[in-house]
Amino acid sequence: MLSFPDRLADAVRKKGPLCVGIDPRWDALPTAIREVYADLPPADRAAAAVLDFGLRVLELVAPFAGVVKPQSAFFELLGPPGMRVLQELLIRANDLGFVTILDAKRGDIASTATAYADAAFAGAAIDNEVVPVWDADSLTVNPYLGEDAVEPFVTAARASGRGLFVLVRTSNAGAGLFQNLVCDGKPIYLHVGEAVARWNANTIGQCGLGAIGAVVGATHPRELVELRAALPNVWFLVPGYGAQGGTAADIRAAYRPDGLGAVVNSSRGVTFPFRPDDPAWEAKVTEAARKASAELRS
Amino acid sequence: MLSFPDRLADAVRKKGPLCVGIDPRWDALPTAIREVYADLPPADRAAAAVLDFGLRVLELVAPFAGVVKPQSAFFELLGPPGMRVLQELLIRANDLGFVTILDAKRGDIASTATAYADAAFAGAAIDNEVVPVWDADSLTVNPYLGEDAVEPFVTAARASGRGLFVLVRTSNAGAGLFQNLVCDGKPIYLHVGEAVARWNANTIGQCGLGAIGAVVGATHPRELVELRAALPNVWFLVPGYGAQGGTAADIRAAYRPDGLGAVVNSSRGVTFPFRPDDPAWEAKVTEAARKASAELRS
């Protein structure tokens, strides 16, 4: 089986760098879908509608994107039924051949980090059986707790042929409060980036990139240039394109000369380009995915 | 109803600063409990045993601790059934009068942070109904994404009379990799601590402490002294006592002269002081809780 970085490279070569973020908000779902489940109790109604919508979105965007990124928070908000929906969407995304990124930004001390990593990748070992949980291809990780907290995620990713995307320079406007503080002549995000380069070093695949990636926001073009130069073998997950204001031009610096090196996420821009009562919502999603894909491939 | 900091102060005045961490690992559960559910399929077996164990632990430690801290990772590892167990344990802890800290270390950009915060506190708004999710009294938050990412948690906590504990100086050995980098003459953890003081400033209760707390490891006594002095009105959640090596003496600096200001977590030390096959496991948990409580009150 191909390594994680090579599976990502295949997806990008086949369908371009677009990653579709799945952030389902109840209020934004198509009225037509919400109405189908109107008779269910609230939690089940929301979970059923989110699953229905999510499965449809996966099919609509499949021709235009090889990577999908469910955002754990919007499933957690629906409680245990929501987590079941997250699980079912990840299974379906895998069946459809997507590379999956579970965007959960996990991070904790070693023993706890191992539990989060097992939930994401290997599953839970119960007596002599392994129970899969999210079974994602990759997971986003928060580095604030330091090396010994990230290491269990790195070990688990390598052991199961999966990948990580470590938060380096996030896309939000206030990201600089701590990430841009300068220590020993370098901003924090660069210190984190250099740690990612170390963790990534022994995971390089045929494509020349490794399994331990970095999250670098499209909204910070200068840092994208700087980090691409500093981390030549690291896959970037680039949020902030579209709804958050990042443009295709801002992102150009994230790619290597061979066109690989970055997957560019769009969530709301691709999955919610319609008003809930719009009967043509599916056509709008298809067109938004087609347009984003074309823009990012040009 | 009392504010979050005043409920925490009440709990500490009545039962001392011990916070019991609930980190259930299948392999460590009493054999006697695991055997009860032996005929269930693995995921249900593990979830049922964890719930059984967790409910028993809550009753056993209630005389010695007023605060409990379930660690989300160990429930997430059991998938949706595990998240249901987390929900049931939080409901039971609330019924028993514990102040609850959901240790999930959430952190994300604004719209996503709001979803995590609603899951923790207000619940999900589905049409005209609100569906409670974790309904915790407080949540641990990771600050790496910056001010606009923490702000939705602060807003949600204030709106619902709940609290936060923001990671400042974590207890793990490698925490210093980024947290101790010195910028503008101050380590990162102190920059974060000062942000916590700002977020906390307008939330001060009758007890003189606020709703936006800080996580400061017992394993770093010098930083505890420094941060207590810098953040006089901030509640500290102090992990690292017991199994991780922090002593009651190390922690003394975390308290204010009035004895308030810190809750001290022990997870494995209190909840797993036995071998799985030990028939007297309940007596061991009771004794471990009594001993930790007495040590921390002395």
Side-chain angles (χ1 to χ4, degrees):
Chain A
M1 179 175 154
L2 284 177
S3 69
F4 174 74
D6 290 334
R7 277 184 288 145
L8 203 52
D10 266 13
V12 171
R13 288 193 191 102
K14 285 194 190 115
K15 300 192 175 174
L18 178 62
C19 167
V20 175
I22 312 288
D23 300 19
R25 294 168 173 76
W26 166 257
D27 292 340
L29 295 182
T31 314
I33 287 181
R34 283 149 65 182
E35 282 170 353
V36 173
Y37 305 100
D39 296 342
L40 295 177
D44 302 328
R45 184 191 322 153
V50 163
L51 178 58
D52 191 331
F53 175 72
L55 292 172
R56 193 75 193 105
V57 165
L58 290 178
E59 287 165 11
L60 294 171
V61 304
F64 309 106
V67 185
V68 291
K69 182 179 73 64
Q71 169 48 256
S72 183
F74 295 98
F75 298 90
E76 179 174 318
L77 180 55
L78 301 180
M83 302 311 265
R84 177 80 61 193
V85 169
L86 172 61
Q87 209 169 35
E88 295 185 27
L89 285 179
L90 282 162
I91 290 168
R92 181 66 178 144
N94 189 52
D95 292 345
L96 289 170
F98 286 104
V99 173
T100 59
I101 301 171
L102 175 57
D103 193 1
K105 299 184 175 66
R106 299 298 188 238
D108 214 303
I109 64 170
S111 56
T112 307
T114 301
Y116 276 127
D118 287 344
F121 302 140
I126 308 298
D127 299 332
N128 301 323
E129 299 178 74
V130 172
V131 181
V133 182
W134 311 130
D135 199 15
D137 294 313
S138 58
L139 174 71
T140 55
V141 169
N142 186 312
Y144 186 69
L145 278 79
E147 183 127 22
D148 58 341
V150 176
E151 210 286 335
F153 287 101
V154 174
T155 302
R158 295 186 60 177
S160 57
R162 318 292 175 104
L164 301 178
F165 291 96
V166 179
L167 301 183
V168 172
R169 183 69 171 91
T170 58
S171 57
N172 54 308
L177 178 65
F178 306 123
Q179 295 167 28
N180 281 20
L181 287 171
V182 175
C183 317
D184 307 336
K186 282 181 303 202
I188 290 292
Y189 68 78
L190 203 51
H191 285 271
V192 175
E194 290 172 357
V196 170
R198 284 201 309 278
W199 297 322
N200 184 62
N202 299 325
T203 68
I204 309 299
Q206 298 295 326
C207 64
L209 293 144
I212 311 304
V215 174
V216 186
T219 47
H220 313 296
R222 197 181 49 74
E223 286 90 337
L224 262 180
V225 174
E226 177 186 28
L227 288 162
R228 179 75 290 163
L231 312 175
N233 306 325
V234 173
W235 271 107
F236 288 178
L237 169 60
V238 182
Y241 165 71
Q244 288 182 55
T247 69
D250 293 330
I251 293 158
R252 208 152 285 138
Y255 308 112
R256 307 194 312 173
D258 62 5
L260 296 177
V263 289
V264 181
N265 184 73
S266 178
S267 301
R268 282 162 286 174
V270 167
T271 60
F272 289 109
F274 54 81
R275 291 209 330 280
D277 60 0
D278 187 339
W281 72 271
E282 292 178 297
K284 295 253 171 76
V285 169
T286 304
E287 175 54 18
R290 191 202 57 71
K291 189 158 168 298
S293 177
E295 193 175 274
L296 292 172
R297 279 164 165 262
S298 70
Chain B
M1 179 175 157
L2 285 175
S3 69
F4 173 75
D6 290 335
R7 277 184 288 145
L8 203 53
D10 265 14
V12 170
R13 288 194 189 100
K14 286 196 188 112
K15 302 194 174 173
L18 178 62
C19 167
V20 175
I22 312 289
D23 300 19
R25 293 168 174 76
W26 167 257
D27 292 339
L29 295 181
T31 314
I33 288 181
R34 287 192 276 172
E35 284 169 353
V36 173
Y37 305 101
D39 297 340
L40 295 177
D44 301 329
R45 183 191 321 154
V50 164
L51 178 59
D52 191 331
F53 175 72
L55 291 172
R56 193 74 193 106
V57 164
L58 289 178
E59 287 165 9
L60 293 171
V61 305
F64 309 106
V67 185
V68 290
K69 182 180 73 65
Q71 167 51 252
S72 183
F74 296 98
F75 298 90
E76 179 173 319
L77 180 55
L78 301 180
M83 302 311 266
R84 178 80 61 193
V85 169
L86 172 60
Q87 209 170 35
E88 295 184 26
L89 285 179
L90 282 163
I91 289 168
R92 181 65 179 145
N94 189 50
D95 292 345
L96 288 169
F98 286 104
V99 173
T100 59
I101 302 172
L102 175 58
D103 193 0
K105 299 185 173 67
R106 298 298 186 237
D108 215 302
I109 64 169
S111 56
T112 306
T114 301
Y116 277 128
D118 288 345
F121 303 140
I126 309 299
D127 299 331
N128 301 322
E129 300 177 71
V130 172
V131 180
V133 182
W134 312 129
D135 199 15
D137 293 314
S138 58
L139 174 71
T140 55
V141 170
N142 186 312
Y144 185 70
L145 276 78
E147 182 128 23
D148 57 342
V150 176
E151 211 286 331
F153 289 102
V154 174
T155 301
R158 296 187 60 178
S160 57
R162 317 293 175 103
L164 302 178
F165 291 97
V166 179
L167 302 183
V168 172
R169 183 70 170 95
T170 57
S171 57
N172 53 308
L177 178 65
F178 306 122
Q179 295 168 29
N180 280 21
L181 287 172
V182 174
C183 317
D184 307 336
K186 282 181 305 202
I188 291 290
Y189 68 77
L190 203 51
H191 285 270
V192 175
E194 290 173 358
V196 169
R198 286 200 308 277
W199 297 321
N200 184 61
N202 298 325
T203 69
I204 310 299
Q206 298 295 325
C207 63
L209 294 143
I212 312 303
V215 174
V216 187
T219 47
H220 312 296
R222 195 181 51 72
E223 286 90 338
L224 262 179
V225 173
E226 176 187 27
L227 287 162
R228 179 76 288 165
L231 312 175
N233 305 325
V234 172
W235 271 108
F236 287 177
L237 169 61
V238 182
Y241 166 72
Q244 287 182 55
T247 69
D250 293 331
I251 293 158
R252 207 153 284 139
Y255 308 113
R256 306 194 314 172
D258 63 4
L260 296 177
V263 290
V264 181
N265 184 74
S266 179
S267 302
R268 284 162 285 175
V270 167
T271 60
F272 289 108
F274 54 81
R275 291 210 328 281
D277 60 359
D278 187 339
W281 71 270
E282 292 179 298
K284 296 254 172 75
V285 169
T286 303
E287 176 54 17
R290 190 202 58 72
K291 189 158 168 297
S293 177
E295 194 175 275
L296 292 172
R297 278 163 166 261
S298 72

